[in-house]
Structure formats: C-alpha cells, structure tokens
Amino acid sequence: MEVVAGNGTLYLAAFPSRILVIDEATASVVDEIAVPHGPPRALVVSADRSRFHFVDTTFEHMTTVDIAAREVADSFTLSEGNRKVRIRSFRVAPDGATAILHVDAATKLIDRYEVEPYSLLQIDLATHEIQRELPWPTGAASFSSRMLFSPDGEYLYFFDRAEILILEADTFEEVDRWSLRESIEPGMGAIDFGFDDDLVYEEPGFFTNLFTVHDDAQDRDLLGIARIDLPNREVVDFYTIGPPRPIQFALAPGRQRAYGLSSSIDHYEFWTFHLDERRIGYRRPIEGRPRMALDVSTNGEVLYISSAGNTIDFYDAETFDYLDTLTLDGDMTSGLIVMPPAP
C-alpha cells in the first residue's frame, strides 16, 4: 500500500468467536481475542477507551474485553432455566460501574411462551446484580432504546422517534425534552439528524453529521451538515449543501474535513466535505459493493471500506484511488473500530 494509514489499531469482530486486531501501519492482522458465546454483534467502546462491551448473537450474554490485555474481563447473562432474557441494547455509564440494559424476557412453558414487556434495568457490572428496574420514560415508544450518557455521566439521553428525552442519571427523572423536529430557523421545516454513539474524532458531547431539512418556502427537502452540542441542547452550526441523497458520513481527524459514501444501485461515489469552508470538495465514482461501511484512518490519509464479508478495502483519501485490500480468514460481524495511538 503506497499511503501509510497511521499508527493506530483497528478492531472488528469475526466468525467464529473472536475479535481481530489489525495493525494500521502494516495493514495486517497481528492478533485475535477469543470471546465466548459466539461472535459479537457490535463492539461498543467504553468512555475511557480501555474496554469493549458487546452482546452476542443470541442477545443473552453481555461481555467485556480488556483492550490493552487483549482478553475477556467479564461475561454474564440474566437468563436462567426456561426464562430467557435478551439484551436488545445497552449503555455503560462513563465510570464503567453500571450499565442500563433494554431487555425483554420470555419463559418457555409446556404449552406456550409467556412474554414479558420491554423493560430497562440498571446493572452493577461488578456483581451482575440488578440494582433497580427503571421506569420507562413518559411518552417514549416502548421499542425505542437508543441511549447515551452525557460526558460527565450526570444525564442520560433517551432517543425517541421525535425528540430527545433528558433524564437525570441517578434518579432517572426527566429534566427536559429537546425536539429536533422543530424548525431551526424561520421558513425552514423540521430537521432530521442522526446521532452516532462512537465518534472517535469528535469532541465529547458534540456530534457532526448530515441532516435533511424541509424548505417550506419552496416546498423541497435539502441536505446539509449540522454540528450539535448535546449537553447544551444547541445546534451550533448548520448549512445546506444540496438536494438530499443517502450518504454515509465519516469525520476525519482534526474535524476540518469529512468524507461521504453515496451508495445506490450500480452507482457508488466518494465525497469530500470541507467543514472549515462549509462546502463540498472532490467527488469521484468508484467500483463499490452492495453493502459498505466507511471509516477514516487515524492520520486522515486513508479511507476504509468494510462490512458484510471478509475484506477491508483501502482508498487514498485525497484522490480516492484504490490502494489495497486486506482479506481476513473469516467474515466480520461488527463494524470497524479505529483506535488512535495513545497520546
């Protein structure tokens, strides 16, 4: 590969039951971490970036991996006997002591299953004991379970379909609601914005991403870029860039640039976004594949294309030239985690 991607480490889960460790500088697999209960569905990085948390493909086991030691630190299940408890989603507190689990349970009887309603549980991660069952946020859909802690752990943000509920983390009492469906300026309609939960190059509590907004004056939808200060519940920057289209968005180190991947049937295209100049830069069609995920290297010079298969493709971030492909010895089951070197 002509362009060196950086000095970080890449991680992803793969069949049969492991996490692959990839050295970014050499673009090679250098280790693997064996995990129990089958391959992880997704890897969630802890707030201090020292651990991975994940749920297996049965949704029954939550496992913690020590990243530095490259070994499993803990694993537990709430299932017991003929009662199966499945963890649909979770969020670990910034201090790593507790986690909030969104679960459903079913008990197998001789002639039927008794299915329990969705519930939220606070778990002590050291003892695996249920500290308390939390009340479902008022007005939130029962199947909604996207959660995010504030950087200081004081608040929990519960993402419903139309608004963000802000809950006090200790008491779980609602302190505010923030609707992103309201107009962000006169004459504009509702904003539709996605929140990622592991933005490696973003400031804690901030989110930069694409959004769509409706222009009421001309009755049209527009694609734009917004930066959200979630703790202060403020849109600190937004600007439109053109008509909407499905584009994956990946922030680059330094937050001066971002990259996009536009995917449609038989047409795949890279985009450059100059965030400091609030404009679109270079665009180029590429030979794509049906399912692709976009990530940026730790030095910002290489783009990674992964997802659904056993290959990671490398592209030059400046020219979008194809550089190389890393072929793994098993299909991946999670997204790619890009970990910069320790400062």
Side-chain angles (χ1 to χ4, degrees):
M1 189 169 67
E2 296 179 3
V3 180
V4 176
N7 295 310
T9 308
L10 313 180
Y11 301 88
L12 56 81
F15 284 107
S17 301
R18 56 194 172 144
I19 298 172
L20 299 179
V21 183
I22 301 169
D23 177 66
E24 191 177 37
T26 61
S28 60
V29 177
V30 294
D31 201 357
E32 60 181 58
I33 305 168
V35 298
H37 317 302
R41 295 185 63 253
L43 300 176
V44 178
V45 187
S46 63
D48 63 2
R49 309 194 74 78
S50 68
R51 300 175 301 280
F52 290 131
H53 304 285
F54 62 86
V55 174
D56 70 310
T57 53
T58 69
F59 297 92
E60 290 187 56
H61 304 88
M62 182 171 173
T63 300
T64 300
V65 166
D66 184 311
I67 295 175
R70 295 182 181 174
E71 62 183 17
V72 172
D74 185 44
S75 187
F76 71 92
T77 181
L78 299 177
S79 295
E80 187 175 2
N82 62 339
R83 182 175 181 266
K84 302 297 184 183
V85 180
R86 291 180 170 83
I87 304 168
R88 299 302 180 182
S89 67
F90 66 89
R91 182 59 57 188
V92 177
D95 63 5
T98 62
I100 295 177
L101 276 54
H102 174 217
V103 305
D104 63 68
T107 302
K108 183 179 180 181
L109 304 178
I110 193 171
D111 60 341
R112 67 188 187 281
Y113 285 91
E114 287 189 349
V115 180
E116 302 172 24
Y118 287 118
S119 60
L120 296 172
L121 306 176
Q122 187 177 48
I123 302 293
D124 185 311
L125 289 179
T127 66
H128 308 155
E129 294 180 355
I130 299 175
Q131 293 184 326
R132 55 179 173 161
E133 182 171 347
L134 301 169
W136 199 268
T138 304
S142 61
F143 52 82
S144 177
S145 58
R146 286 212 55 219
M147 298 173 285
L148 189 67
F149 278 98
S150 61
D152 59 8
E154 185 175 352
Y155 298 103
L156 178 74
Y157 305 106
F158 195 93
F159 295 84
D160 198 19
R161 289 175 297 178
E163 57 190 352
I164 303 172
L165 283 62
I166 298 96
L167 309 172
E168 208 281 327
D170 288 338
T171 64
F172 220 66
E173 293 181 356
E174 182 180 320
V175 296
D176 200 1
R177 292 187 180 223
W178 187 30
S179 176
L180 288 178
R181 298 295 184 262
E182 298 175 355
S183 175
I184 52 177
E185 70 171 23
M188 302 296 285
I191 184 173
D192 186 7
F193 189 91
F195 287 90
D196 238 332
D197 54 12
D198 182 34
L199 298 177
V200 64
Y201 304 127
E202 186 59 281
E203 293 181 79
F206 284 82
F207 297 86
T208 305
N209 211 329
L210 296 171
F211 72 92
T212 56
V213 67
H214 187 73
D215 178 0
D216 291 334
Q218 300 192 43
D219 192 23
R220 60 176 180 170
D221 290 330
L222 294 171
L223 179 70
I225 295 176
R227 191 154 194 258
I228 304 290
D229 178 354
L230 190 55
N232 293 310
R233 299 184 283 285
E234 181 182 2
V235 181
V236 295
D237 192 21
F238 81 95
Y239 47 94
T240 57
I241 56 177
R245 64 173 65 191
I247 300 177
Q248 294 183 47
F249 182 88
L251 195 64
R255 298 186 293 277
Q256 300 298 303
R257 284 192 183 187
Y259 296 93
L261 176 62
S262 176
S263 301
S264 58
I265 297 175
D266 294 329
H267 183 76
Y268 309 96
E269 189 174 63
F270 278 134
W271 291 43
T272 302
F273 301 103
H274 293 271
L275 304 181
D276 53 340
E277 300 174 3
R278 303 174 68 168
R279 66 178 179 89
I280 298 172
Y282 184 45
R283 295 165 53 183
R284 177 178 174 181
I286 62 167
E287 292 291 331
R289 57 198 199 195
R291 292 175 59 188
M292 298 189 292
L294 173 66
D295 293 279
V296 185
S297 68
T298 59
N299 66 6
E301 296 182 14
V302 173
L303 303 181
Y304 302 122
I305 295 294
S306 61
S307 179
N310 68 331
T311 58
I312 303 173
D313 297 326
F314 303 84
Y315 289 84
D316 187 304
E318 191 69 31
T319 64
F320 298 144
D321 288 339
Y322 167 78
L323 298 174
D324 202 355
T325 294
L326 172 62
T327 301
L328 311 171
D329 63 354
D331 283 0
M332 63 190 77
T333 64
S334 76
L336 191 67
I337 302 294
V338 181
M339 195 80 72

